[in-house]
Amino acid sequence: MIKKIIILSAILSIFMAFTGRGTNVFGETSGDNYKLYCAQCHGLKGNGSGVNKADMSVAPRNHTDTIEMSRLKDSDIYEAIAHGGTAVGKSTLMPPWNGVMTDAEIKEMVAYLRELCHCKGE
Amino acid sequence: MKIAKTYLLMTLFSLWLAAPHISMAADGKTVIEQNRCAGCHEMNGGKAGTIAEVLSKKAPDLFYAGSKFQEKFLTKFLQRPNRIRPAGTVFLNYTAPGPEIDQIQEPPLCASRLSREDAVAAAQYLMTLKDPDMPTGIYKPGTEFAKANAKMIFHKSGACNACHQVDVGNGDIKGGVSAPTLYDAGDRLNGDWVLSYIKDPQHWDPKAWMPKRELPDSTWQLLTNFIMTMKKSEEMKKAEK
C-alpha cells in the first residue's frame, strides 16, 4: 500500500512539474517570454509603456487595461501574437511571433495576458 | 668610428622601442586575450539558448565577427568605441518600469580603447572568425534597387524602425531602442550577414528578440540593399569630431 502511494506521489509530482502554471514544457515561462519578446514595446509591467514606445506612430496596447482587453476574444489575441497586427486589422507595428514562439508558447501567452488584465474574453 | 657606433646604438634602441609593438601587431589573438575581451564577449561559439543565458550576456557575441562586420569599422571601433545598442546589449538588463515609458538606466559600454597598432591586429584576427555556412557573395554593393519600395517595407509593413534607430533625414535619428542602431549599418556590417540575419535572426542568436518572418528572397535582398545604404550623415560625422 505504502509503495503504491509513493509511486502515485512521484507520478503526480512529475505531472505537476510539467503542467505548472505558465510554465512551458519546453523551457521558458510565459512571463519570461513576455519580458524578452513583448516588454520592449508593451512595457515590463504590460501597461503599454515599453522602451520603444516614444517614436511609435501607434501606442502599444496596454495589456493591464481590463475594459479594453475584455473586448478581445482569446482567438483574436492568439492571431495577433502568431500572425501580427494586420491579421486582426491592427497596426503593422505588431509583428508575427509564430516564427519565434511555438504554438504552445503562444497559447500560454494568451493565458498570461488574461492574467495581466484580470479579465476574460467575450 | 664614434659616429658609426652612435648610429648603431641609436638604431638598436629604435628597434628595441618598436619591438613590442611589432610583436603585438603581429598577433591579434594575443591582443584580444590581453584585453580580456572574452570576459564580456562570447568568443567560442556558445550561443545563448535560454533566456537566463541571454540575460547573462555582457556584450555582443564575437565568434562570428568576421562574418558580421567590416574590417574598417572594427579597426575604428576598437580605438574609439561608441554605443551601438541604446539600451545596452540586452535591453532587459538596463530597463526599469516607468509610468509613461520604461526607463533605460545607463548601460555600460563593455569595450576597450586600443592603440592603432593593436586595433589593426585585433580587427584582422576578428575578421578570421567566420561562420563557414553563411552564404556569401549574395549582396552586391552598388546594385540598383527599388528604394521607395524598400523604404515602405522597412518603415511600414515590416516596421523595422519600431526597434531600430535610423536617420530619417539630415541626421535626425528616430526609432526604437531595444535593438542595435541601423543609421550607420552600411559602414559597419557585412551585407551578406545582414541578409542572413534578417531572414533568420534565431539562426545566429536562438533567443533574439527579433521576429522571424516568411518573406520572398527578393524582399530580403531589397531590405538588405536598403539597410546597406544607411551610412553616417555629414552632420553625425561632424558631431563626432
Side-chain angles (χ1 to χ4, degrees):
Chain A
M1 184 63 187
I2 293 169
K3 200 175 173 184
K4 272 184 182 174
I5 291 169
I6 292 169
I7 292 169
L8 272 173
S9 305
I11 292 169
L12 192 65
S13 305
I14 292 166
F15 179 75
M16 283 172 76
F18 277 90
T19 55
R21 194 181 182 194
T23 306
N24 186 297
V25 291
F26 301 107
E28 310 290 2
T29 67
S30 45
D32 284 345
N33 276 337
Y34 188 89
K35 278 185 186 152
L36 187 67
Y37 302 123
C38 315
Q40 53 189 325
C41 298
H42 294 282
L44 292 166
K45 291 196 166 176
N47 57 355
S49 303
V51 284
N52 290 335
K53 181 186 173 186
D55 283 343
M56 283 184 160
S57 53
V58 178
R61 184 175 285 277
N62 177 353
H63 293 145
T64 64
D65 187 328
T66 307
I67 297 168
E68 284 295 316
M69 290 295 288
S70 299
R71 292 184 181 138
L72 301 175
K73 294 177 193 161
D74 282 356
S75 57
D76 290 337
I77 298 176
Y78 176 90
E79 278 301 307
I81 299 170
H83 304 115
T86 49
V88 289
K90 296 290 179 184
S91 171
T92 56
L93 286 166
M94 171 66 186
W97 290 102
N98 61 345
V100 176
M101 283 189 275
T102 64
D103 191 59
E105 283 177 315
I106 295 171
K107 283 175 181 160
E108 284 175 1
M109 190 60 77
V110 175
Y112 184 74
L113 296 193
R114 288 297 179 207
E115 285 179 31
L116 283 180
C117 71
H118 302 288
C119 69
K120 289 180 180 172
E122 278 179 359
Chain B
M1 185 62 188
K2 198 178 176 184
I3 294 170
K5 202 175 172 184
T6 310
Y7 180 75
L8 183 68
L9 276 170
M10 279 178 71
T11 308
L12 285 172
F13 182 65
S14 308
L15 281 172
W16 176 78
L17 275 179
H21 303 289
I22 290 167
S23 65
M24 282 171 86
D27 187 1
K29 191 178 180 186
T30 306
V31 176
I32 297 288
E33 285 165 359
Q34 283 173 344
N35 285 277
R36 299 192 185 116
C37 302
C40 289
H41 298 275
E42 178 56 52
M43 306 294 298
N44 299 314
K47 291 180 183 176
T50 64
I51 294 176
E53 285 169 358
V54 169
L55 294 175
S56 70
K57 273 191 189 183
K58 291 178 185 166
D61 294 336
L62 286 183
F63 57 85
Y64 52 83
S67 296
K68 179 178 179 179
F69 294 113
Q70 295 176 25
E71 188 172 343
K72 197 177 164 190
F73 157 76
L74 284 175
T75 307
K76 199 176 162 195
F77 180 89
L78 290 167
Q79 293 171 78
R80 259 185 89 177
N82 62 297
R83 187 171 301 290
I84 294 168
R85 298 169 185 238
T89 304
V90 181
F91 76 97
L92 275 177
N93 285 335
Y94 306 104
T95 307
E100 293 301 317
I101 186 163
D102 290 351
Q103 300 296 309
I104 301 166
Q105 300 178 320
E106 286 299 311
L109 188 58
C110 193
S112 304
R113 277 176 180 267
L114 304 184
S115 67
R116 174 160 173 75
E117 291 80 1
D118 283 357
V120 168
Q124 280 172 358
Y125 170 69
L126 289 172
M127 290 306 290
T128 67
L129 305 179
K130 292 181 193 283
D131 178 344
D133 297 330
M134 185 183 88
T136 55
I138 300 170
Y139 166 69
K140 305 233 181 317
T143 305
E144 284 199 16
F145 66 99
K147 196 169 180 181
N149 192 10
K151 196 173 178 181
M152 195 278 293
I153 297 167
F154 187 92
H155 287 277
K156 300 286 179 192
S157 59
C160 312
N161 56 329
C163 301
H164 297 277
Q165 288 185 333
V166 294
D167 186 344
V168 293
N170 302 319
D172 186 14
I173 303 301
K174 294 263 187 253
V177 294
S178 64
T181 57
L182 287 181
Y183 50 75
D184 62 346
D187 294 324
R188 189 171 86 228
L189 302 170
N190 171 14
D192 284 330
W193 181 83
V194 171
L195 179 63
S196 173
Y197 192 92
I198 60 176
K199 210 171 162 182
D200 188 1
Q202 285 70 30
H203 164 76
W204 295 92
D205 188 353
K207 289 290 175 183
W209 46 97
M210 174 167 161
K212 180 183 174 182
R213 300 167 191 258
E214 294 299 327
L215 296 171
D217 274 350
S218 56
T219 304
W220 293 124
Q221 291 197 16
L222 198 61
L223 273 171
T224 301
N225 285 329
F226 183 61
I227 291 167
M228 291 304 287
T229 63
M230 296 181 186
K231 302 198 174 191
K232 272 184 189 167
S233 63
E234 289 307 315
E235 287 81 0
M236 289 183 79
K237 284 180 189 167
K238 273 182 205 165
E240 276 181 5
K241 287 173 189 170

